Amino acid sequence: MGAAQSAIVTGANGFIGSHLVRILLQRGWTVHALGRSSKGDAWHDRVLKSLAEAGWAASPADLANLHCHEADLARPDLGFPGALPFRPATPSVLVHLAGDTRFVPPDPVAQRATNVDGTLNVVRALRPVTAQIVHVSTAYVSGDRTGLVRESEADVGQGFHNNYEKTKLEAEVAVQALCREYGLPLTITRPSIIVNDTVTGSSSAFTHLNVLVEVANRIQEYYGIGDGEVVNHEIRVPVNPAARPNAAPVDPIAAALALIMESPAAAGKTFHLCHPVPQANADVFDMVMAAFGINGKINLSYVSQLPPPLTRTEEMIARAFHVYLPYLNQSATFDLANTRAIIPDYDRMFPAVTVDYLHKVIAFERATRKRDAAATPRHT
Ligand SMILES: NC(=O)c1ccc[n+]([C@@H]2O[C@H](COP(=O)([O-])OP(=O)(O)OC[C@H]3O[C@@H](n4cnc5c(N)ncnc54)[C@H](OP(=O)(O)O)[C@@H]3O)[C@@H](O)[C@H]2O)c1
């Protein structure tokens, strides 16, 4: 590990944050977890709950170096009037994960405020205790680009699929300018689409894999059928079978993020945190059908448009896939040169999608569905 062994983590209860906090604590870091209480739960309890959801039955000794601080990044002082309520023993690595990750936010202006102004609030307010910043962006700041996207590239005049991508690029540009002004070393990391944990199949965000599984669940529910049963034998899906959406499981991504935090050579660089060998849609869809026991019983035809009339099944698929289609049909590939240079074993950290993994995702999604039947839907 590098000299700094103290981390300040925003968004610590989030999907990536909870996995990262677990890994950092297990590797001996002191972690200051920043975030907010919800209506029902105090911040500290939310963090503990998220660690349990990330599959960690932590003992009190495991959590001895975890310190939770209530913070709202919408406020310039993060809600710490006067002095900061904590002073780490050593200058810290600030990992900024918090953000509004919705593709369809109810208020795009508020999303920009969270993702751009919130990032600057965090850097400014925590400057006195920060030695280095690791800003978590997204590979999809590349927007609608095609071909090879290099880690060194950012704004090349691309268009965006949604406000989320646009505000994440704006945040990168703004945090770079602020860190330059402050003379603070900045590392930018850009994960791709993060999907379910490889060990448990769980996810605290609604992932692209959850979408595939959930639409199959809904079709089964609508027709009153179970695994291995089908109603329609021909189904059209508006997906390019050869496209390789870059979906990477959360556990290797959080592990890679921790390794980047520990590398003295990471400062000043940008790192794609993407799957090194993404699988083609046709292969993943085949495995999803195998996991539901319906392979060979349905002929999927891949089409660029879904002209009406649509069957009820096709309608359900089209509605569920709508905001995910740009990612399912992406033709950009992400250069991993910087990431592989810092983490020589990077490629070996990523297992391929298998039917066994999808069974875990299905079991997780069904259990969550049952438990949350009446609760607010999760978002991505
Ligand atoms: N998941 C992906 O597929 C993916 C892919 C690429 C990049 N990323 C990036 O990785 C980061 C983490 O993603 P994630 O999937 O872990 O996100 P997530 O599960 O949606 O968690 C977002 C976190 O941000 C916090 N947050 C939002 N607004 C806040 C505010 N005003 N004050 C304090 N905390 C606030 C949330 O707190 P509450 O729980 O209180 O709302 C939550 O802890 C994001 O910056 C995202 O852009 C994610």
Side-chain angles (χ1 to χ4, degrees), residues 20 25 37-38 84-86 99 124 168 253 301 331 336 351 355 375:
L20 179 68
L25 289 172
S37 299
S38 64
L84 292 174
F86 63 101
R124 286 192 185 109
K168 290 297 284 189
I253 289 296
S301 63
S331 59
L336 288 163
V355 174

Side-chain angles (χ1 to χ4, degrees), residues 10-17 34-37 43 46 71-74 96-101 114 136-140 164 168 190-195 204-205 379-380:
T10 69
N13 67 318
F15 185 27
I16 302 175
L34 267 57
R36 52 195 179 173
S37 299
W43 169 236
R46 292 189 75 200
D72 183 355
L73 59 92
H96 179 51
L97 280 152
D100 183 338
T101 57
T114 299
V136 181
S137 181
T138 167
Y140 293 96
Y164 167 68
K168 290 297 284 189
R190 292 182 183 153
S192 54
I193 299 160
I194 306 304
V195 294
S204 61
H379 63 263
T380 186

Side-chain angles (χ1 to χ4, degrees), residues 108-166:
V109 175
Q111 182 176 51
R112 186 194 169 279
T114 299
N115 290 348
V116 183
D117 304 332
T119 299
L120 300 181
N121 290 342
V122 163
V123 175
R124 286 192 185 109
L126 298 171
R127 183 186 175 197
V129 291
T130 301
Q132 185 192 338
I133 297 184
V134 177
H135 173 71
V136 181
S137 181
T138 167
Y140 293 96
V141 293
S142 59
D144 59 8
R145 288 185 61 183
T146 57
L148 183 68
V149 178
R150 295 191 190 282
E151 290 155 308
S152 55
E153 296 169 323
D155 185 353
V156 297
Q158 66 270 44
F160 300 99
H161 300 112
N162 50 49
N163 195 58
Y164 167 68
E165 292 178 351
K166 187 166 180 274

Side-chain angles (χ1 to χ4, degrees), residues 37-348:
S37 299
S38 64
K39 269 190 196 140
D41 287 312
W43 169 236
H44 178 264
D45 296 335
R46 292 189 75 200
V47 176
L48 298 192
K49 214 183 243 180
S50 73
L51 290 173
E53 277 172 13
W56 193 26
S59 70
D62 291 328
L63 302 175
N65 293 327
L66 173 67
H67 307 282
C68 299
H69 312 283
E70 174 107 25
D72 183 355
L73 59 92
R75 299 173 60 170
D77 63 1
L78 307 185
F80 306 139
L84 292 174
F86 63 101
R87 187 153 284 275
T90 53
S92 299
V93 179
L94 164 59
V95 191
H96 179 51
L97 280 152
D100 183 338
T101 57
R102 287 172 290 189
F103 294 152
V104 191
D107 180 351
V109 175
Q111 182 176 51
R112 186 194 169 279
T114 299
N115 290 348
V116 183
D117 304 332
T119 299
L120 300 181
N121 290 342
V122 163
V123 175
R124 286 192 185 109
L126 298 171
R127 183 186 175 197
V129 291
T130 301
Q132 185 192 338
I133 297 184
V134 177
H135 173 71
V136 181
S137 181
T138 167
Y140 293 96
V141 293
S142 59
D144 59 8
R145 288 185 61 183
T146 57
L148 183 68
V149 178
R150 295 191 190 282
E151 290 155 308
S152 55
E153 296 169 323
D155 185 353
V156 297
Q158 66 270 44
F160 300 99
H161 300 112
N162 50 49
N163 195 58
Y164 167 68
E165 292 178 351
K166 187 166 180 274
T167 58
K168 290 297 284 189
L169 179 60
E170 214 182 316
E172 272 195 21
V173 173
V175 75
Q176 255 164 343
L178 188 61
C179 287
R180 213 175 298 124
E181 182 190 326
Y182 286 171
L184 269 173
L186 169 70
T187 300
I188 291 178
T189 58
R190 292 182 183 153
S192 54
I193 299 160
I194 306 304
V195 294
N196 309 49
D197 180 72
T198 57
V199 180
T200 62
S202 68
S203 67
S204 61
F206 196 64
T207 70
H208 285 52
L209 277 182
N210 292 98
V211 175
L212 291 182
V213 167
E214 184 58 16
V215 75
N217 279 334
R218 281 187 205 155
I219 291 165
Q220 286 188 341
E221 201 169 79
Y222 180 80
Y223 288 112
I225 57 175
D227 289 353
E229 296 178 282
V230 297
V231 172
N232 305 93
H233 296 274
E234 294 282 335
I235 300 176
R236 297 170 300 168
V237 284
V239 163
N240 174 358
R244 295 175 181 271
N246 199 299
V250 67
D251 36 333
I253 289 296
L257 186 52
L259 292 174
I260 286 173
M261 288 172 66
E262 292 176 2
S263 169
K269 298 197 181 87
T270 297
F271 298 88
H272 278 151
L273 288 178
C274 305
H275 201 294
V277 201
Q279 282 162 282
N281 279 321
D283 296 337
V284 175
F285 278 59
D286 277 354
M287 279 186 278
V288 170
M289 288 196 289
F292 279 99
I294 54 173
N295 44 335
K297 298 185 181 178
I298 286 181
N299 180 29
L300 277 190
S301 63
Y302 295 100
V303 293
S304 50
Q305 298 283 332
L306 260 183
L310 272 57
T311 64
R312 181 76 186 115
T313 300
E314 288 169 345
E315 265 174 33
M316 289 164 91
I317 291 173
R319 199 174 320 120
F321 281 15
H322 181 61
V323 293
Y324 301 97
L325 282 180
Y327 303 99
L328 285 172
N329 287 330
Q330 76 168 65
S331 59
T333 54
F334 299 107
D335 174 38
L336 288 163
N338 286 348
T339 303
R340 286 181 174 131
I342 295 266
I343 310 171
D345 276 342
Y346 185 77
D347 289 20
R348 279 188 285 279

